[in-house]
């Protein structure tokens, strides 16, 4: 984006200062550095999908280890996704400053849903957990839901009959 | 030829004064403040600049100007990148390529170790179960059982065959 023309002498002064600082740096970069650099690629590693923990046999350590590594990678990805959604909400809030309550509702709802889902899947497991603990957490949650209804509706009392 | 030149140098007039006056003059201790801190400072400064600053600056300059960082690109079809091509900085690539080992290889080695340990654990589990059962029921002559190790029998057989071949019946 080209810079706007200076409207007065103060802006002219600051633009001259900026030019003085940027000039040598840009000159060195464009004339000395860029022509001599080599161009070669680097890639993002793509990992193949392996069977998840629910497809492994009980005593299959190899399957379990691979599922564990895949789980850790997926958890990192989900952390980053949550971080991006959080940044989106914060940027929206900072931009819309006085009336962010109405304007950022969708973004906030998306972020809150993502946080809830993240907590359902990974929350309360501790810092040093493995894929089996997460799987067991899901199993316990499903059993609880089968006995007491959806999460958040409270435990049913024992009926005396 | 060299020694004759050095011999002539020894009898040069400039050395006469030094050689003659060192041990018979009125020698005193020079009364001046200690220059230790200044000399030590110079030592350390030259050391850290000569061993640290200059080589690192040269390396950084050469890698950033003449080699440059890599550009992120899509993996082309039917090409699996080498394991050092997943890094951007050229120094990191060199370290990954020549010093560290292939992560894929290490991963597969680790899986194999896990498998072997799991096999060993399964065997141990069965042994423990048998011992436990024998202890509980007390109906097996485990106390009197001595395990036959085939290893020593094999050694004996090998030696016997060797002797038979060399010495005959």
């Amino acid at each position: 984006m080209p810079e706007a023309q200076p409207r007065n002498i103060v802006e002219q002064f600051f633009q001259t200062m900026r030019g003085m600082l940027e000039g040598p740096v840009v000159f060195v970069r464009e004339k000395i550095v860029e022509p001599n650099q080599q161009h070669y690629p680097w890639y993002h590693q793509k990992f193949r999908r392996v069977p998840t923990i629910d497809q492994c046999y009980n005593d299959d350590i190899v399957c379990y280890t691979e599922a564990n590594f895949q789980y850790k990678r997926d958890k990192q990805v989900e952390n980053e996704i949550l971080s991006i959604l959080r940044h989106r909400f914060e940027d929206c809030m900072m931009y819309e400053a006085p009336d962010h309550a109405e304007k950022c509702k969708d973004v906030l709802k998306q972020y809150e849903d993502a946080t809830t889902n993240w907590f359902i899947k990974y929350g309360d497991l501790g810092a040093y957990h493995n894929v089996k603990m997460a799987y067991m957490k899901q199993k316990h949650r499903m059993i609880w839901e089968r006995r007491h209804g959806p999460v958040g509706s409270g435990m049913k009392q024992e009926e005396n009959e | 030829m060299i020694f004759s030149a050095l011999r002539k140098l020894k009898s040069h007039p400039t050395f006469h004064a030094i050689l003659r006056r060192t041990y018979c003059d009125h020698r005193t201790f020079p009364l001046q403040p200690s220059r230790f801190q200044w000399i030590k400072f110079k030592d350390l400064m030259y050391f850290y600049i000569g061993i640290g600053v200059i080589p690192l600056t040269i390396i950084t300059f050469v890698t950033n100007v003449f080699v440059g960082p890599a550009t992120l690109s899509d993996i082309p079809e039917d090409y699996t990148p080498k394991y050092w091509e997943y890094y951007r900085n050229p120094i990191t690539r060199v370290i990954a390529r020549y010093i560290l080992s292939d992560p894929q290889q290490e991963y597969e080695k680790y899986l194999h170790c896990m498998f072997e340990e799991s096999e060993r654990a399964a065997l141990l589990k069965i042994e423990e179960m048998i011992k436990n059962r024998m202890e509980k029921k007390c109906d097996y002559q485990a106390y009197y059982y001595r395990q036959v190790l085939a290893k020593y029998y094999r050694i004996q057989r090998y030696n016997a065959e060797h002797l038979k071949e060399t010495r005959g019946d």
Side-chain angles (χ1 to χ4, degrees):
Chain A
M1 208 163 82
E3 287 170 32
Q5 286 301 310
R7 294 175 291 189
N8 51 42
I9 200 167
V10 178
E11 282 194 13
Q12 171 69 49
F13 169 71
F14 281 118
Q15 266 194 16
T16 326
M17 283 288 114
R18 180 185 167 169
M20 271 170 60
L21 288 173
E22 275 189 1
V25 176
V26 169
F27 173 76
V28 165
R29 174 97 191 159
E30 281 174 1
K31 296 283 184 284
I32 301 174
V33 173
E34 292 278 304
N36 289 324
Q37 274 184 349
Q38 298 164 16
H39 296 105
Y40 54 99
W42 71 291
Y43 312 103
H44 280 325
Q45 187 163 13
K46 282 202 171 61
F47 291 95
R48 275 203 299 233
R49 296 302 294 183
V50 288
T52 46
I53 185 69
D54 57 319
Q55 298 165 0
C56 287
Y57 285 113
N58 263 10
D59 49 0
D60 197 351
I61 291 283
V62 176
C63 182
Y64 166 79
T65 318
E66 290 204 75
N68 200 16
F69 279 119
Q70 188 175 251
Y71 167 78
K72 290 267 186 284
R73 286 195 294 265
D74 289 344
K75 182 164 185 223
Q76 282 181 333
V77 170
E78 308 238 330
N79 289 350
E80 292 296 320
I81 291 173
L82 206 61
S83 186
I84 288 172
L85 289 175
R86 194 184 313 123
H87 285 318
R88 267 194 214 168
F89 167 65
E90 286 176 356
D91 290 341
C92 170
M93 202 167 75
M94 269 197 272
Y95 190 71
E96 310 275 354
D99 36 37
H100 53 269
E102 305 97 33
K103 292 259 178 89
C104 295
K105 267 213 173 84
D106 301 330
V107 181
L108 180 61
K109 184 171 185 309
Q110 197 181 38
Y111 171 59
E112 302 255 283
D113 288 342
T115 316
T116 316
N117 292 334
W118 188 95
F119 212 83
I120 289 172
K121 190 170 176 185
Y122 301 110
D124 284 335
L125 286 171
Y128 191 64
H129 65 278
N130 50 35
V131 65
K132 208 157 142 186
M133 290 162 73
Y135 188 46
M136 291 299 120
K137 181 187 175 187
Q138 186 189 33
K139 182 195 82 171
H140 292 156
R141 182 172 56 82
M142 290 171 109
I143 291 175
W144 195 95
E145 284 193 343
R146 196 204 308 175
R147 289 180 187 167
H148 304 278
V151 173
S153 59
M155 276 174 79
K156 289 188 187 154
Q157 304 303 322
E158 260 187 44
E159 291 165 19
N160 299 325
E161 282 201 18
Chain B
M1 191 194 91
I2 301 170
F3 282 116
S4 58
L6 283 175
R7 211 176 286 279
K8 280 182 204 160
L9 200 63
K10 188 181 158 189
S11 53
H12 199 263
T14 50
F15 284 98
H16 291 175
I18 294 167
L19 284 169
R20 281 206 189 135
R21 305 284 290 226
T22 337
Y23 294 105
C24 47
D25 256 354
H26 178 58
R27 296 166 71 218
T28 55
F29 189 80
L31 288 177
Q32 46 173 308
S34 164
R35 292 176 56 81
F36 174 74
Q37 271 86 16
W38 172 238
I39 293 169
K40 187 77 183 162
F41 168 74
K42 280 191 287 187
D43 280 347
L44 291 172
M45 190 171 72
Y46 293 145
F47 177 74
Y48 283 113
I49 289 177
I51 304 284
V53 170
I54 291 179
L56 289 179
T57 320
I58 291 173
I59 290 171
T60 321
F61 182 77
V62 165
T63 49
N64 279 319
V65 173
F66 295 108
V67 179
T71 39
L72 185 59
S73 34
D74 294 323
I75 301 176
E77 295 292 328
D78 62 81
Y79 173 68
T80 44
K82 302 278 187 319
Y83 64 95
W84 66 84
E85 289 175 2
Y86 290 120
Y87 303 103
R88 183 168 172 261
N89 193 317
I91 300 176
T92 317
R93 281 167 88 106
V94 159
I95 292 173
R97 184 173 178 180
Y98 294 112
I99 300 176
L100 302 175
S101 35
D102 187 4
Q104 178 74 21
Q105 188 185 47
E106 298 298 310
Y107 178 73
E108 288 176 19
K109 274 160 69 176
Y110 178 69
L111 287 177
H112 172 77
C113 282
M114 285 282 120
F115 173 71
E116 213 162 297
E117 292 294 312
S118 80
E119 295 275 289
R120 225 167 265 165
L123 286 170
L124 199 65
K125 196 170 159 192
I126 294 175
E127 277 181 37
E128 293 288 311
M129 217 161 65
I130 292 171
K131 277 191 198 162
N132 199 11
R133 205 59 59 83
M134 287 200 290
E135 195 182 329
K136 240 198 272 182
K137 295 202 168 173
C138 305
D139 61 349
Y140 202 76
Q141 278 191 329
Y143 184 72
Y144 302 102
Y145 175 68
R146 298 188 67 175
Q147 196 180 15
V148 174
L149 287 169
K151 179 169 90 170
Y152 298 108
Y153 282 102
R154 276 189 223 119
I155 294 172
Q156 293 275 34
R157 186 181 65 193
Y158 176 78
N159 289 336
E161 280 175 8
H162 182 67
L163 282 173
K164 191 170 163 190
E165 277 170 26
T166 49
R167 294 191 200 161
D169 263 339

